[in-house]
Amino acid sequence: MSLLVVGAILLSIILGYKTRINIGLFAIAFAYLIGSFALGLSPNDIIKMWPLKIFFIIFSVSLFYSFAIINGTLEKLAEHLMYRCRHFPHLLPYAIYITTTIISALGAGYYTVLAFMAPITLLLCQRTGMSMVIGSMSVGYGALTGANFMSSQSGIIFRGIMANAGVTENQAFINSIGIFLSTAAIPLIVITALVFFTKHRSTIAKGGYQADLPTAFNKEQRQTLTLTLIMMGLVLLAPISHLLFPDNQTITFINSKMDIGLIASVFSVIALLLKLGDERKAIASVPWSTLIMICGVGMLISVAIKAGTINDLASWIGTSIPAVLVPVAFGIVAAFMSLFASTLGVVTPALFPIVPSIAQSLSLDPMMLFICIVVGAQATAISPFSSGGSLILGACPTEESRTKLFPQLLFRAAPLGFAAALIFNLLITFVL
């Protein structure tokens, strides 16, 4: 039965990749067929496996942050941040990374940020002569890092999957801080190596980079940015205060009433009342395909849990791999999965549920395992076969540049990211 479920997960990924049909739809179909006809579950039991809480949180948060997208707030913010780098053209990769990270952390999400930052970045590469590999890695890393922020899309998804795996919400928040800090450190090291230990600086000096002064934020954009910062403050202040003052009853009470999905819903209503964007466009901007993929795979993972697959896999890892190498092994497996599959939709929903039992049986720190999985998965997210890499390829201004960038992403960017992630995972496993 466990082999059947694992085969269904792999087949969902392969079929999704080959047919370009959402992996989540295949996962839902397999969850029904295996759950009802092999495990004897009722259709109602299968439907209840839809991860409603994760769905609601992603929907609510994405709906609120979509106002910043449709009224141009994020694009305007990107223009202003990039303009600040005009006197230091060789530091442009840092500007791209920091700009993309800030915008992604403000809640736009990985795919949305790449959708409008990748074309800007590749255009800058064309104008300045900067390597497309450096530009692609800077924008890709930035979108990933910002999205991993505790109140942004990926950070929220990670916390939700951890909670479903039995991790307390408080510990899930702490784990998400570790993931964010780790995925922020690696890109800075890689970008520094690319900026100062390659021909990047001399190439940029010959390019004559110039940036025009962007127009000021309009009233709606200023209000949107203010609302976004207020919501981020509310979402982060309560859990952080609770971590600092766990015995304070008032803070404990307030923290128990905080829910990012419900808070985002309130702020969406405020944004609509202030007329910061069209309701229909905001709803259309919700990443429905990502939602279907995450929730569909979540249903199939729930079937795997019912079938005992997760326990079998955890038992196999616990007895077949030396305990000290388990975190590194998780990172390597996640990296290879991410070459062809989504970190959010496939890799973390498949691997996170194994972590608690593995950590308990081998006396490992669960946070270290969660970090190694995400670091490994995001190391190869720039692969042209992965969703992130394909978005960057799609942003190329010409077919010639797209043809040139494809092998560079596959044979330079992805291996470089993998090497950096492997070294990082080895360090936190054996040194920290």
Side-chain angles (χ1 to χ4, degrees), residues 306-367:
K306 284 282 187 183
T309 307
I310 301 300
N311 290 334
D312 291 344
L313 185 56
S315 176
W316 179 82
I317 292 173
T319 56
S320 302
I321 300 175
V324 71
L325 293 178
V326 167
V328 178
F330 265 122
I332 293 172
V333 170
F336 278 100
M337 288 177 68
S338 187
L339 278 171
F340 304 98
S342 164
T343 299
L344 296 178
V346 177
V347 182
T348 50
L351 297 181
F352 272 20
I354 309 171
V355 168
S357 57
I358 283 288
Q360 185 176 12
S361 63
L362 299 179
S363 300
L364 296 171
D365 183 1
M367 181 193 289

Side-chain angles (χ1 to χ4, degrees), residues 28 31 59 116 262 334 378:
I28 292 170
F59 164 75
F116 73 85
L262 294 172
Q378 296 190 343

Side-chain angles (χ1 to χ4, degrees), residues 150-328:
M150 294 76 75
S151 64
S152 194
Q153 189 183 87
S154 299
I156 293 167
I157 293 169
F158 295 152
R159 286 160 59 188
I161 299 173
M162 287 181 215
N164 280 355
V167 179
T168 64
E169 291 193 9
N170 195 44
Q171 187 58 49
F173 182 77
I174 296 172
N175 292 343
S176 69
I177 295 175
I179 290 172
F180 170 70
L181 293 177
S182 299
T183 53
I186 296 171
L188 290 174
I189 297 170
V190 173
I191 291 171
T192 298
L194 291 172
V195 168
F196 293 102
F197 297 98
T198 65
K199 296 179 180 179
H200 165 78
R201 187 164 186 167
S202 59
T203 304
I204 290 290
K206 298 174 184 176
Y209 170 65
Q210 292 182 339
D212 298 326
L213 176 66
T215 57
F217 289 93
N218 60 33
K219 180 183 176 182
E220 289 77 16
Q221 290 168 344
R222 289 195 302 272
Q223 289 177 334
T224 302
L225 198 54
T226 302
L227 272 183
T228 302
L229 293 174
I230 291 172
M231 197 194 90
M232 286 180 66
L234 282 174
V235 167
L236 295 175
L237 184 61
I240 291 174
S241 299
H242 183 60
L243 289 174
L244 295 174
F245 308 102
D247 298 325
N248 188 297
Q249 293 184 353
T250 303
I251 292 176
T252 301
F253 173 77
I254 293 172
N255 185 54
S256 68
K257 300 298 180 183
M258 289 288 123
D259 182 271
I260 189 170
L262 294 172
I263 293 172
S265 298
V266 172
F267 274 77
S268 293
V269 173
I270 296 172
L272 287 169
L273 291 174
L274 291 173
K275 301 187 184 302
L276 300 182
D278 182 84
E279 179 185 354
R280 288 173 296 180
K281 289 182 180 179
I283 292 174
S285 297
V286 172
W288 295 108
S289 60
T290 303
L291 269 171
I292 293 169
M293 179 170 58
I294 291 169
C295 294
V297 173
M299 289 179 72
L300 188 52
I301 296 299
S302 294
V303 170
I305 293 171
K306 284 282 187 183
T309 307
I310 301 300
N311 290 334
D312 291 344
L313 185 56
S315 176
W316 179 82
I317 292 173
T319 56
S320 302
I321 300 175
V324 71
L325 293 178
V326 167
V328 178

Side-chain angles (χ1 to χ4, degrees), residues 14-150:
I14 294 169
L15 289 173
Y17 175 71
K18 289 290 186 181
T19 64
R20 298 297 178 187
I21 295 171
N22 195 305
I23 293 171
L25 296 175
F26 288 110
I28 292 170
F30 284 125
Y32 169 58
L33 294 173
I34 296 173
S36 286
F37 298 101
L39 291 177
L41 300 173
S42 70
N44 196 41
D45 290 333
I46 304 297
I47 293 170
K48 286 180 180 178
M49 289 178 176
W50 180 268
L52 186 60
K53 184 174 182 179
I54 294 177
F55 175 87
F56 175 74
I57 290 174
I58 300 172
F59 164 75
S60 302
V61 172
S62 299
L63 178 64
F64 170 69
Y65 286 134
S66 66
F67 291 99
I69 299 167
I70 61 178
N71 66 20
T73 300
L74 295 182
E75 188 173 352
K76 185 68 66 179
L77 180 63
E79 292 174 2
H80 279 273
L81 291 173
M82 297 294 286
Y83 179 73
R84 297 292 184 268
C85 191
R86 66 192 183 281
H87 297 307
F88 310 98
H90 66 285
L91 299 180
L92 197 56
Y94 288 106
I96 293 169
Y97 171 72
I98 293 170
T99 299
T100 311
T101 297
I102 291 172
I103 293 171
S104 186
L106 287 174
Y110 174 61
Y111 300 110
T112 304
V113 172
L114 271 188
F116 73 85
M117 277 301 295
I120 295 173
T121 300
L122 293 178
L123 184 62
L124 283 172
C125 291
Q126 194 176 45
R127 288 180 179 177
T128 63
M130 180 172 64
S131 163
M132 286 195 295
V133 169
I134 297 178
S136 298
M137 294 194 75
S138 299
V139 72
Y141 269 139
L144 288 168
T145 301
N148 291 345
F149 192 62
M150 294 76 75

